Each structure stands twice: as structure tokens, then as C-alpha cells.
Amino acid sequence: MQLHGQPEMVSVFNELETSRLHIAKQHSRAYWSMGIGAACLLGAFLFGLIEVGVVLVIVGLITGFIMLALVGSKTSAYKLDFKHKVIGAALKQLDDSLQIAPQSGISQRDFMDSRLFSQTPDRYKTEDLVHGKIDKTQIHFAEVHAEYKTETRTKNGKQTHWHDIFKGIIFCADFNKHFSSITVVKPKGFGGAFGKWFSQNVFGNKNIVELENVDFDKTFITESGDQVEARYILTPSLMEKLLELNQYANSTISISFIWSNVYIAFPLNHNYFEAPIFKSLLNADVLEKDLNMLRLMRHVVEELDLNTRIWTKE
């Protein structure tokens, strides 16, 4: 997938680069104004002219914020154009039906319905919904940042702390089978291993599925309402492919097979599809992470062989 070499994209990149240069110049001037104000405060402090320094830093900050505000609408338009024109073109290379809706995402209800997360978010942000069909498989995915809060009381009053439930990409695809039950595959780790043992030996949890792939069983804990169906879904080949996909995430992925969909949560730290301000769009490397992520989503469909309709769905 290479966009910079396409003749029809030359004018797009040139137009966006012109906008970027103007925006970058205004941002630089704003930051310089703030920086000079801060330097004046430091100098005034050293010479005992605190009042003068405070006035100068306030003037510098106000001037900088005004500059950023004046270019704000152009910055928003530039970022939106980048997503529609550049990321949109990249998606068309994967499949002509794929589209991006920058201001949409995975709904919080869909997030919870995936059964991948037990904690209900107190703060939820999602954007950059990509949707469409790759061959026979309907897919959608988006960036999600879900958090919960805790509160502690100190001598200075109540403090709120935010903790990540999940940050990354939630991917959903139409699977090639109707499921009669729900199968969920989550990271194991030390806590997961202990929880699995405790659940089986103390509470007698019959939903834990023992699988034959040792590496898979070390990495994930699998639960299902139907042991036979879970093994039917998680074939030796599919388990190997999920282990391979797991290598692309920042930490262990989670997977659920529910209704007739497969959900995969990829923990990722990078904020994708964001137009650069201080890097040239004419440099092909600037799109590397975005294009790699799109390749990964295509890779999911190919690796899980979702286009092969071998069961009941057509």
C-alpha cells in the first residue's frame, strides 16, 4: 500500500501540505510568544522586577492562546481533510467499500456487549470509525479509550484518579457461524492463572475451557457456555493465528465470539489517523504507522479466514 506514488494523490498531498505549513507557522509563533513571556518572567525574577515579569508572561500567554484560537478552525479542517482524503484513499486500496467516519466510533453499549470488559467506563472516548466489507466479511473498528475513576480523600479535599480500562483498537467482524453460546478469550497472566485455578477448584466453574494448545492456554484464559462449541470455534489453526495476531499489540489481546460476531481488542498506545503539524506530509514515512495498522486489520480477516463460509452463514 503506497499513496505517495499515485498520480491522483499528488494534488491532495500538495494541498494539505500548504495548509499544514500555514498552521505550523501559526503554532510556532504562538509557542514562541508563550516561551518569550516565560523567559521574561525568569529574567524579571532574577533582577527583582517581579511585577513587570508577571505582566509580560500574561501578555505572552494571552497572545499565544489568541494565535492558536485564530488558527483553530483551519487546524480542525486540515485534520478532517487528512482523514477523509488520505486515510480514505488508503482504505479504498484495501477494499472499495471501506469508509472512515472520523467523528463516530464504537458505542459504549457495543463496547460492553462485546463481553471483553467487566468494568463499566466512567469516561469513554471513541473516534475514527472504519466500516465496510472485505470480500464477504462485514467489519468495523475504531479507536477507543475507556477509563474508570477512583476517589480518595486527603487533607486538601477529594482527589479523583483516572485508570485505563482499555486504550487501543476494537475490531468487530461478521464471523462465519451463528453461535449458540458466548465464548470469551482473555489475557491470563499471573492473576488470570490464579483466577482460573480458584474458579475451577473453589467455585467449580464449568465455563473454563481447557484447550490442547499449550502456548495458547498459557497466554489466555477461555470461558464459554458451551464447551463443544468453544472447541469447534477455537480450532488448532485459529489458536495459532490468534497467537500470531497477539504479537502486534502492546499487551495481550482479548477476543469474544458472541451472536454471530468476533470482537478483538488490540491494546495500542499510538493515536492513529492524526494529521501531523510539524512533519511534512510529502515524506512517505509520516504515514507508516497508520498504514501498518490498516494492514493489520486486513490481516485479521485473512488470518482468521473469515471469508471462508464453511459453516451455516452465507
Side-chain angles (χ1 to χ4, degrees):
M1 189 193 306
Q2 184 58 257
L3 294 179
H4 283 79
Q6 297 180 11
E8 64 271 22
M9 292 299 296
V10 171
S11 61
V12 172
F13 280 115
N14 287 338
E15 178 187 341
L16 288 173
E17 180 67 6
T18 300
S19 297
R20 185 198 70 80
L21 288 170
H22 171 72
I23 292 165
K25 184 182 291 185
Q26 295 302 105
H27 276 244
S28 295
R29 287 174 176 173
Y31 298 143
W32 269 108
S33 175
M34 295 177 185
I36 289 170
C40 288
L41 177 63
L42 179 60
F45 180 79
L46 293 174
F47 289 101
L49 302 172
I50 304 299
E51 294 83 359
V52 175
V54 169
V55 171
L56 290 174
V57 76
I58 290 173
V59 170
L61 289 173
I62 290 174
T63 303
F65 283 123
I66 290 173
M67 288 180 177
L68 290 176
L70 289 173
V71 79
S73 60
K74 290 184 178 179
T75 304
S76 298
Y78 160 69
K79 290 182 175 181
L80 205 57
D81 278 348
F82 173 83
K83 292 180 180 184
H84 282 301
K85 295 177 180 178
V86 176
I87 303 303
L91 288 169
K92 293 297 181 185
Q93 285 197 14
L94 291 178
D95 193 280
D96 196 52
S97 74
L98 293 178
Q99 301 178 50
I100 184 169
Q103 296 170 319
S104 298
I106 302 288
S107 71
Q108 187 168 333
R109 179 176 179 178
D110 207 15
F111 178 82
M112 294 304 298
D113 282 349
S114 71
R115 305 294 179 92
L116 296 175
F117 310 96
S118 56
Q119 183 91 41
T120 301
D122 294 310
R123 185 162 65 186
Y124 186 83
K125 180 183 177 183
T126 181
E127 62 178 354
D128 297 336
L129 176 70
V130 173
H131 59 95
K133 205 170 186 179
I134 296 179
D135 196 3
K136 300 174 183 177
T137 304
Q138 194 75 36
I139 71 163
H140 64 273
F141 61 88
E143 289 184 276
V144 170
H145 188 191
E147 301 168 278
Y148 72 93
K149 68 179 179 181
T150 57
E151 296 179 339
T152 57
R153 293 197 173 275
T154 67
K155 60 181 181 180
N156 297 320
K158 185 171 65 175
Q159 287 188 341
T160 300
H161 306 276
W162 290 96
H163 314 271
D164 285 346
I165 299 172
F166 176 78
K167 184 178 181 181
I169 299 288
I170 301 289
F171 173 92
C172 178
D174 168 43
F175 204 67
N176 43 24
K177 186 183 188 300
H178 289 294
F179 306 121
S180 62
S181 188
I182 296 172
T183 298
V184 179
V185 180
K186 289 186 177 182
K188 182 181 281 186
F190 173 77
F194 177 76
K196 177 180 177 180
W197 179 89
F198 199 80
S199 180
Q200 286 179 306
N201 292 279
V202 177
F203 293 112
N205 188 345
K206 303 300 183 183
N207 289 334
I208 301 294
V209 182
E210 295 287 353
L211 297 163
E212 296 179 359
N213 188 312
V214 176
D215 291 333
F216 191 87
D217 213 35
K218 285 180 180 177
T219 307
F220 302 105
I221 179 169
T222 304
E223 295 186 62
S224 178
D226 188 326
Q227 295 269 334
V228 174
E229 184 176 65
R231 291 188 177 87
Y232 194 42
I233 296 169
L234 293 166
T235 62
S237 175
L238 184 57
M239 285 189 283
E240 288 293 340
K241 290 171 180 177
L242 288 173
L243 285 169
E244 181 181 337
L245 288 175
N246 188 52
Q247 298 174 13
Y248 294 96
N250 291 123
S251 55
T252 309
I253 64 175
S254 302
I255 312 101
S256 64
F257 301 89
I258 180 169
W259 301 305
S260 60
N261 293 323
V262 54
Y263 289 88
I264 307 178
F266 287 92
L268 299 165
N269 293 325
H270 185 69
N271 189 13
Y272 293 92
F273 307 152
E274 296 303 317
I277 300 294
F278 297 106
K279 289 184 178 180
S280 174
L281 281 173
L282 303 182
N283 185 346
D285 292 341
V286 79
L287 297 175
E288 184 178 0
K289 287 186 177 180
D290 290 335
L291 297 182
N292 284 340
M293 196 279 287
L294 292 178
R295 291 186 190 101
L296 173 60
M297 294 302 106
R298 175 62 184 255
H299 191 55
V300 172
V301 176
E302 293 171 346
E303 278 298 292
L304 302 191
D305 202 18
L306 297 180
N307 283 317
T308 301
R309 304 280 151 169
I310 59 173
W311 284 316
T312 58
K313 290 199 69 178
E314 292 295 337

